[in-house]
């Protein structure tokens, strides 16, 4: 019955899973863990209620239960709730369990407490590679670059075998030109450890060299991969955009399509942002035609990027057309982008008109919406219009 509940969740039949669970005469800890895991994955506050019901049924949580609960608190960035669960885990003697300790590192890292995460890591009796990965990612997440690099050096010296997650985590630490030498050394570790054939690792390596501005190195890695997946195409295109090579990025996306693959949201958004930053009007039109051809014009994030790109290229009319085509899928992001586009062109009446249209669509203007309108009125000395935008 537990497996049946799990199967229904995995195929997206949540109602069926809940029905089976409710009809179970006897539920053990695994039954409740299955439910907790699903709701925790979605960040659903129902997790607390489920856990309470489990305790009231007379069942005791196990190490899997606490691992689920701590990762749930990390997802919600809820330190207070995490401490409550921690007290119970400590009382029941589960905090020394590696799987629980790893989830605690995850929790405190996501809640901005890398020092507490590190204190838990230090006292883990048997530090697995998962524990090392969690703390390295935790330091990365909190901008503790030197600590993360020092940990990786200690890990390498210890002789413990690293995995793909370790490599990708430490590559994420190398964010600036001051880390070029370290990045080269990690590349050497990748070759020595035999990870060159791992697409996941190679895409992280391409992203790292892209941040350094070493586009040629990115191409060497990219061309040396036998089977290219979308993540690799995306990493290479993003690196070209970051390096200001808009035409090359567009050509590479066309090659991707010729290869029989369909570019996803990140790839299209990356190129459009590059076009916007470079005010590359011809390239923007070319990308827009591809977006329409492959059926992405109704994607809200892509539509917003198209509006922004046309506006920054000076074609506010095309921005408005793109907005009108997408506006039936009413969304704050679209309205904000159009308001900012008009603001950039000093079109006060039109920007305030979009703000009114936004209100009529029952969409709540955000902080950035008002900042855009008021900043525009401020720059143009239109005090009265700025006041009216706040009071309407």
């Amino acid at each position: 019955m537990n497996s049946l509940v799990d199967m229904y969740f995995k195929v997206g039949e949540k109602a069926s899973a809940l029905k089976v669970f409710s009809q179970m005469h006897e539920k053990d800890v695994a039954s409740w863990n299955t439910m907790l895991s699903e709701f925790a994955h979605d960040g659903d506050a129902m997790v607390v209620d489920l856990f309470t019901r489990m305790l009231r049924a007379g069942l005791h949580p196990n190490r899997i239960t606490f691992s689920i609960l701590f990762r749930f608190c990390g997802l919600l960035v809820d330190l207070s709730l995490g401490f409550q669960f921690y007290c119970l885990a400590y009382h029941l003697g589960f905090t020394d369990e590696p799987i629980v300790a790893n989830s605690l590192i995850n929790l405190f890292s996501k809640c901005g407490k890398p020092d507490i995460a590190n204190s838990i890591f230090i006292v883990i009796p048997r530090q697995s590679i998962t524990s090392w990965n969690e703390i390295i990612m935790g330091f990365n997440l909190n901008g503790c670059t030197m600590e993360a690099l020092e940990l990786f050096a200690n890990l390498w010296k210890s002789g413990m075998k690293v995995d793909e997650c370790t490599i990708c985590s430490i590559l994420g630490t190398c964010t600036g030109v001051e880390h070029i030498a370290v990045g080269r050394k990690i590349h050497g570790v990748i070759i020595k450890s035999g990870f060159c054939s791992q697409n996941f690792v190679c895409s992280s390596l391409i992203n790292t060299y892209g941040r350094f501005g070493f586009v040629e190195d990115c191409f060497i890695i990219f061309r040396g991969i036998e089977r290219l997946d979308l993540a690799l195409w995306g990493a290479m295109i993003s690196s070209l955009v970051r390096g200001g090579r808009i035409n090359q990025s567009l050509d590479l996306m066309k090659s991707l399509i010729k290869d029989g693959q369909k570019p996803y949201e990140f790839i299209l958004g990356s190129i459009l942002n590059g076009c916007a930053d470079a005010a590359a009007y011809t390239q923007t039109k070319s990308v827009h035609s591809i977006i329409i051809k492959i059926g992405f014009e109704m994607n809200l994030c892509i539509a917003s990027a198209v509006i922004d790109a046309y506006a920054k290229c000076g074609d506010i009319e095309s921005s408005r057309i793109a907005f009108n085509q997408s506006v039936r899928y009413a969304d704050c992001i679209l309205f904000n982008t159009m308001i900012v586009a008009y603001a950039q062109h000093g079109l006060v009446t039109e920007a305030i008109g979009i703000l009114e249209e936004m209100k009529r669509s029952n969409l709540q203007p955000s902080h950035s919406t008002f900042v855009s309108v008021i900043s525009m009125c401020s720059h143009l000395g239109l005090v009265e219009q700025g006041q009216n935008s706040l009071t309407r």
Side-chain angles (χ1 to χ4, degrees), residues 139-140 142-150 170 173-175 179:
F139 278 138
N140 272 352
N142 288 279
C144 305
T145 304
M146 292 309 298
E147 290 86 348
L149 291 171
E150 188 178 334
I170 201 62
T173 309
C174 304
T175 55
H179 301 129

Side-chain angles (χ1 to χ4, degrees), residues 48-228:
V48 178
D49 181 60
L50 279 169
F51 182 66
T52 305
R53 286 167 55 194
M54 173 184 163
L55 296 179
R56 285 175 180 167
L59 292 169
H60 295 290
N62 61 15
R63 60 197 181 107
I64 305 298
T65 315
F66 282 113
S67 176
I68 294 166
L69 293 173
F70 289 135
R71 291 187 184 277
F72 167 70
C73 294
L75 184 65
L76 296 186
V77 196
D78 192 335
L79 192 58
S80 175
L81 182 61
F83 271 127
Q84 292 178 62
F85 286 134
Y86 178 80
C87 290
L88 181 58
Y90 183 82
H91 177 71
L92 296 175
F94 283 110
T95 51
D96 287 335
E97 290 277 356
I99 189 172
V100 176
N102 293 340
S103 61
L104 279 168
I105 293 169
N106 177 275
L107 161 65
F108 289 120
S109 297
K110 287 184 175 177
C111 290
K113 302 291 182 183
D115 50 338
I116 301 178
N118 191 45
S119 67
I120 290 169
F121 171 75
I122 291 168
V123 298
I124 295 176
R126 299 176 302 280
Q127 292 170 340
S128 65
I129 192 61
T130 306
S131 306
W132 285 91
N133 290 345
E134 287 284 6
I135 192 62
I136 289 171
M137 285 190 286
F139 278 138
N140 272 352
L141 189 64
N142 288 279
C144 305
T145 304
M146 292 309 298
E147 290 86 348
L149 291 171
E150 188 178 334
L151 263 176
F152 180 75
N154 293 336
L155 170 62
W156 188 251
K157 287 174 187 173
S158 73
M160 184 178 288
K161 191 175 181 181
V162 300
D163 61 15
E164 297 96 322
C165 187
T166 321
I167 296 297
C168 293
S169 295
I170 201 62
L171 282 172
T173 309
C174 304
T175 55
V177 290
E178 68 273 18
H179 301 129
I180 290 173
V182 176
R184 294 284 192 196
K185 288 178 181 178
I186 295 170
H187 192 176
V189 169
I190 290 169
I191 296 169
K192 192 179 289 187
S193 303
F195 288 123
C196 290
S197 60
Q198 301 278 350
N199 284 15
F200 182 49
V201 173
C202 289
S203 62
S204 294
L205 190 58
I206 289 171
N207 280 323
T208 301
Y209 278 128
R211 287 195 294 269
F212 296 155
F214 295 168
V215 178
E216 295 308 319
D217 290 85
C218 294
F219 264 123
I220 291 169
I221 298 162
F222 183 76
R223 289 168 181 152
I225 298 164
E226 192 173 330
R227 289 187 177 184
L228 296 167

Side-chain angles (χ1 to χ4, degrees), residues 25-36:
H25 297 297
E26 292 185 16
K27 301 180 180 75
D28 59 10
V29 177
S31 311
W32 289 97
N33 284 348
T34 303
M35 295 293 290
L36 288 168

Side-chain angles (χ1 to χ4, degrees), residues 342-343 345-349 374-383:
Y342 276 135
H345 286 257
L347 301 170
V348 183
T349 305
I374 294 167
S375 296
M376 172 184 61
C377 293
S378 171
H379 288 306
L380 298 174
L382 304 171
V383 178

Side-chain angles (χ1 to χ4, degrees), residues 259-270:
D259 194 48
Q261 299 193 62
K262 190 176 181 180
Y264 59 100
E265 185 179 304
F266 170 78
I267 293 175
L268 295 167
S270 177

